[in-house]
């Protein structure tokens, strides 16, 4: 076993390997994961070292890649092999799982010797201009570029509960890669392979759109409440409001994961495009019955991915498109579709820019001189330093004078953050990037749109509408993805122009 592939600290590595040996190599001492078959016969590992125990576990669990000549005829491995891996993995702690995943990625990937040999043959065939041989070698090369662990994942997906297991395993992979818990290149490759597999299994044709109502099963309502990541559900009354009159809640489900919402979209049915989340998420439920004739606008005010293992799998775009069709069928007169979205990261970006300028220039040039003086006088400290303290809570929103003084510079700066700050040419803000990829327009910035402590801390109380002009979404999406062009309204472009004129980064 090539332990040089594992870049964990020696002590952490040995602890993880010992745990795998202790729990998965000693028969009855291995803890069963919830829901696993109690009658599964565990195999005893005869090795004398923890390192060998880990290798033996994987060698017995991971099926070999069948020879190219018999790839269509090779029988599947016994189910017990995959079940053995599932149970052992489910019994491990987070750090121990990282060790096991690192070993799986490093030792059971692509056969590089075989790939090198076929690549050489392909070059020779191309030089001889032997088209028949080129096509044959290319097909072999494609086959042998399949990592061995992909065979294990494929067999697990066919087991009852296997798909949910793989989704959860990918969540561990994503976390391990982000935290650099093990050999990142191998883990990153395995993460990409599993993401692509999940993208095929969770393609839109296999997904079911479900509307959640107050009559939905209690377990589903509870999960929807727990998964809500944008505007936390306060209580059951709040939950009833969000699935009641003038509200819609939709989710995608998959037959291989019954009872598990994959992604959830909350919609408010309004007479106009809302500029405040407090208008939507009210404390008291409405008493009036729903009148469909009053519905002119559909506001997507929360979309939450419930399974972290499905990050990177395109679900949100398809969910919005399906929901638009559902709403058009229910309300023929509906004419406006828009989000009311948070702006996570704006306050952090702003304070970072202020700190950087103060350190380098001794002053902040994000504000006009008159703005800087007024804000400093109101908070009793230089703006750059004082705003760090002020924005730590939403208490500043109680001062009408401070709210008014901050409005113009904050709107200007936030417009630039959404429109001008980029990552590899695309919008830096992840929510903006999501809606712009879908073809929406950066339509309207809203001041004092979220006055909650959470809204104040994330984006100084601002929110943004990304508007979906249905006839233009395809063209907008194409321009953004191909040319990195952001379609924005006159309001946003005017604010960006003011930033370029009055502020310096």
């Amino acid at each position: 076993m090539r332990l040089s592939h594992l870049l964990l600290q020696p002590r952490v590595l040995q602890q993880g390997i010992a745990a795998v040996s202790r729990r998965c190599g000693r028969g009855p001492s291995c803890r069963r994961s919830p829901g696993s078959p109690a009658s599964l016969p565990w195999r005893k590992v005869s090795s004398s070292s923890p390192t060998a125990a880990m290798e033996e576990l994987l060698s017995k669990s991971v099926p070999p890649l069948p020879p190219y000549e018999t790839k269509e005829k090779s029988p599947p491995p016994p189910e017990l092999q995959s079940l053995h891996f599932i149970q052992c993995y489910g019994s491990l702690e987070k750090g121990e799982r990282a060790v096991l995943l690192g070993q799986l990625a490093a030792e059971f990937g692509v056969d590089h010797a075989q790939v090198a040999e076929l690549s050489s043959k392909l070059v020779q065939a191309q030089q001889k201009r032997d088209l028949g041989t080129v096509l044959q070698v290319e097909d072999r090369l494609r086959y042998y570029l399949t990592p061995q662990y992909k065979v294990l994942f494929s067999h697990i997906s066919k087991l009852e509960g296997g798909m949910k297991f793989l989704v959860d395993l990918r969540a561990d992979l994503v976390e391990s890669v982000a935290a650099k818990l093990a050999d990142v290149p191998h883990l990153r490759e395995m993460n990409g392979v599993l993401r692509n597999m999940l993208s095929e299994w969770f393609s839109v044709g296999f997904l079911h759109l479900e509307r959640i109502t107050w009559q939905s099963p209690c377990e589903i309502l509870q999960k929807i409440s727990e998964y809500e990541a944008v505007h936390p559900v306060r209580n059951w009354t709040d939950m009833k409001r969000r699935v009641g009159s003038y509200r819609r809640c939709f989710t995608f489900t998959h037959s291989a994961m019954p009872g598990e919402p994959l992604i959830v979209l909350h919609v408010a049915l309004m007479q106009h495009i809302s500029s405040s989340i407090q208008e939507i998420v009210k404390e008291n439920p409405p008493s009036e019955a729903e009148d469909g004739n009053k519905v002119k606008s559909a506001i997507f005010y929360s979309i939450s991915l419930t399974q972290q293992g499905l990050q990177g799998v395109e679900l949100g775009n398809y969910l919005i498109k399906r929901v638009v069709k559902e709403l058009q069928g229910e309300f023929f007169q509906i004419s406006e579709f828009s989000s009311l979205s948070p702006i996570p990261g704006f306050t952090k970006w702003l304070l970072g820019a202020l700190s950087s300028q103060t350190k380098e220039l001794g002053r902040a040039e994000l504000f006009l001189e008159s703005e800087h003086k007024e804000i400093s006088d109101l908070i009793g400290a230089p703006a750059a330093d004082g705003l760090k303290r002020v924005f730590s809570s939403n208490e500043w929103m109680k001062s009408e004078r401070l709210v008014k003084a901050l409005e113009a510079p904050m709107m200007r700066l936030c417009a630039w953050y959404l429109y001008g700050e980029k990552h590899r040419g695309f919008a830096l803000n992840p929510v903006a990037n999501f809606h712009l990829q879908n073809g929406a327009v950066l339509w309207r910035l809203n001041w004092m749109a979220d006055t909650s402590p959470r809204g104040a801390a994330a984006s100084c109380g601002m929110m943004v509408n990304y508007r979906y002009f249905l006839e233009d979404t395809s063209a907008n999406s194409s321009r953004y993805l191909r040319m990195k062009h952001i379609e924005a309204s006159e309001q946003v472009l005017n604010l960006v122009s003011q930033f370029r004129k009055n502020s310096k980064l």
Side-chain angles (χ1 to χ4, degrees):
M1 183 175 67
R2 299 191 299 276
L3 286 179
S4 60
H5 287 301
L6 290 173
L7 302 182
L8 292 164
Q9 296 179 357
R11 182 175 61 84
V12 176
L13 173 62
Q14 290 303 323
Q15 288 176 347
I17 293 175
V20 174
S21 172
R22 182 174 66 254
R23 295 177 184 172
C24 298
R26 297 284 189 259
S29 65
C30 182
R31 299 197 308 253
R32 289 195 299 272
S33 58
S36 59
S39 59
L40 180 67
W42 289 91
R43 302 166 184 244
K44 264 200 169 183
V45 177
S46 58
S47 58
S48 57
S49 72
T51 298
M54 173 181 279
E55 185 170 340
E56 189 168 349
L57 165 67
L58 292 175
S59 66
K60 288 182 177 181
S61 301
V62 184
L65 189 68
Y68 176 83
E69 292 75 14
T70 60
K71 60 180 180 178
E72 304 294 341
K73 302 177 182 179
S74 298
E79 284 190 1
L80 287 180
Q81 288 187 13
S82 299
L83 289 171
H84 182 71
F85 178 82
I86 290 174
Q87 282 197 315
C88 280
Y89 187 86
S91 72
L92 301 178
E93 304 296 335
K94 182 187 299 185
E96 300 160 355
R97 291 180 179 184
V99 175
L100 190 61
L101 290 174
Q103 182 66 15
L104 176 63
E107 299 294 334
F108 296 87
V110 171
D111 185 342
H112 294 291
Q114 183 75 14
V115 168
E117 181 182 341
L118 288 170
S119 299
S120 178
K121 290 182 179 179
L122 179 60
V123 172
Q124 295 173 13
Q126 288 174 330
Q127 291 173 344
K128 295 177 181 178
R129 298 186 177 181
D130 185 348
L131 181 59
T133 302
V134 167
L135 294 176
Q136 289 178 3
V137 176
E138 282 180 344
D139 191 54
R140 282 178 174 266
L141 184 56
R142 275 192 295 271
Y143 179 73
Y144 282 106
L145 281 170
T146 302
Q148 189 177 344
Y149 52 71
K150 187 174 181 180
V151 182
L152 172 65
F153 295 159
S154 180
H155 288 299
I156 288 177
S157 72
K158 298 177 176 66
L159 301 176
E160 183 178 355
M163 197 70 77
K164 172 62 175 169
F165 171 81
L166 290 174
V167 170
D168 292 341
L169 183 144
R170 172 133 195 281
D172 292 340
L173 261 177
V174 170
E175 186 176 352
S176 296
V177 170
K180 299 181 180 180
L181 293 178
D183 183 13
V184 173
H186 286 95
L187 280 180
R188 188 180 295 116
E189 179 188 24
M190 186 162 73
N191 178 44
V193 168
L194 185 52
R195 181 194 62 222
N196 292 338
M197 296 176 77
L198 291 171
S199 294
E200 293 182 6
W201 294 329
F202 287 85
S203 62
V204 67
F206 299 124
L207 301 177
H208 308 287
L209 180 68
E210 292 186 15
R211 178 185 168 188
I212 305 300
T213 70
W214 191 240
Q215 283 68 46
S216 297
C218 183
E219 294 80 5
I220 297 297
L221 290 169
Q222 180 69 32
K223 287 182 178 180
I224 296 291
S225 173
E226 292 172 353
Y227 287 142
E228 174 55 34
V230 184
H231 305 291
V233 177
R234 295 181 292 271
N235 47 47
W236 280 108
T237 301
D238 188 17
M239 188 69 224
K240 186 175 183 179
R241 159 77 179 178
R242 299 191 191 197
V243 297
S245 59
Y246 296 107
R247 299 292 180 268
R248 295 293 184 271
C249 178
F250 294 94
T251 183
F252 268 149
T253 60
H254 192 286
S255 59
M257 292 174 57
E260 281 289 343
L262 305 178
I263 185 170
V264 182
L265 177 64
H266 288 274
V267 186
L269 304 175
M270 313 286 287
Q271 293 180 294
H272 59 276
I273 296 180
S274 180
S275 61
S276 168
I277 192 62
Q278 273 70 42
E279 181 183 9
I280 293 175
V281 186
K282 297 178 179 178
E283 291 289 344
N284 300 315
S287 56
E288 62 178 307
E290 184 174 287
D291 181 357
N293 294 321
K294 293 183 178 180
V295 177
K296 307 298 181 184
S297 305
I299 312 301
F300 312 127
Y301 68 93
S302 174
I303 184 165
S304 299
L305 183 68
T306 66
Q307 311 291 326
Q308 295 308 306
L310 294 178
Q311 286 184 32
V313 177
E314 192 167 7
L315 297 175
N317 181 23
Y318 292 126
L319 179 57
I320 288 176
K321 289 179 178 178
R322 288 284 300 277
V323 167
V324 165
K325 289 182 179 180
E326 287 288 318
L327 295 175
Q328 285 178 318
E330 186 177 1
F331 305 99
F332 68 90
Q333 79 283 3
I334 200 167
S335 59
E336 297 174 328
F337 295 92
S338 174
S339 78
L340 179 60
S341 301
I343 312 172
F346 169 68
T347 302
K348 181 179 179 181
W349 170 85
L350 171 64
L351 295 180
L354 288 171
S355 296
S356 177
Q357 286 198 346
T358 303
K359 183 177 180 180
E360 294 176 8
L361 305 174
R363 65 188 185 282
E365 296 189 340
L366 297 178
F367 303 111
L368 298 175
E369 186 175 341
S370 58
E371 293 171 343
H372 189 280
K373 183 178 185 306
E374 183 178 9
I375 294 169
S376 298
D377 289 344
L378 288 170
I379 63 179
D385 296 324
L387 286 177
K388 293 181 184 180
R389 171 180 53 79
V390 168
F391 289 147
S392 64
S393 73
N394 64 343
E395 287 298 310
W396 62 273
M397 294 181 178
K398 298 177 181 179
S399 169
E400 292 185 10
R401 292 179 62 195
L402 186 56
V403 167
K404 185 177 179 180
L406 286 171
E407 180 175 2
M410 290 298 103
M411 290 281 282
R412 186 173 72 232
L413 291 164
C414 191
W416 174 256
Y417 169 71
L418 294 173
Y419 185 86
E421 289 295 313
K422 304 293 180 64
H423 174 66
R424 297 178 180 175
F426 297 104
L428 174 66
N429 183 268
V431 179
N433 189 50
F434 168 76
H435 287 289
L436 293 170
Q437 285 185 7
N438 295 346
V441 174
L442 180 53
W443 189 65
R444 187 176 69 193
L445 271 176
N446 304 294
W447 180 241
M448 293 290 99
D450 184 358
T451 55
S452 69
R454 184 172 180 155
S459 57
C460 304
M462 285 180 286
M463 299 188 76
V464 58
N465 298 113
Y466 298 99
R467 187 164 174 183
Y468 286 79
F469 295 94
L470 303 183
E471 66 277 9
D472 298 328
T473 53
S474 179
N476 291 345
S477 176
S478 179
R479 279 196 296 271
Y480 181 68
L481 293 172
R482 294 175 57 188
M483 302 166 59
K484 301 178 174 62
H485 171 75
I486 294 178
E487 199 70 33
S489 69
E490 185 176 350
Q491 182 229 29
V492 173
L493 293 177
N494 284 339
L495 288 168
V496 169
S497 178
Q498 291 174 32
F499 172 86
R500 286 173 169 157
K501 180 180 178 181
N502 300 319
S503 300
K504 296 179 183 179
L505 276 177

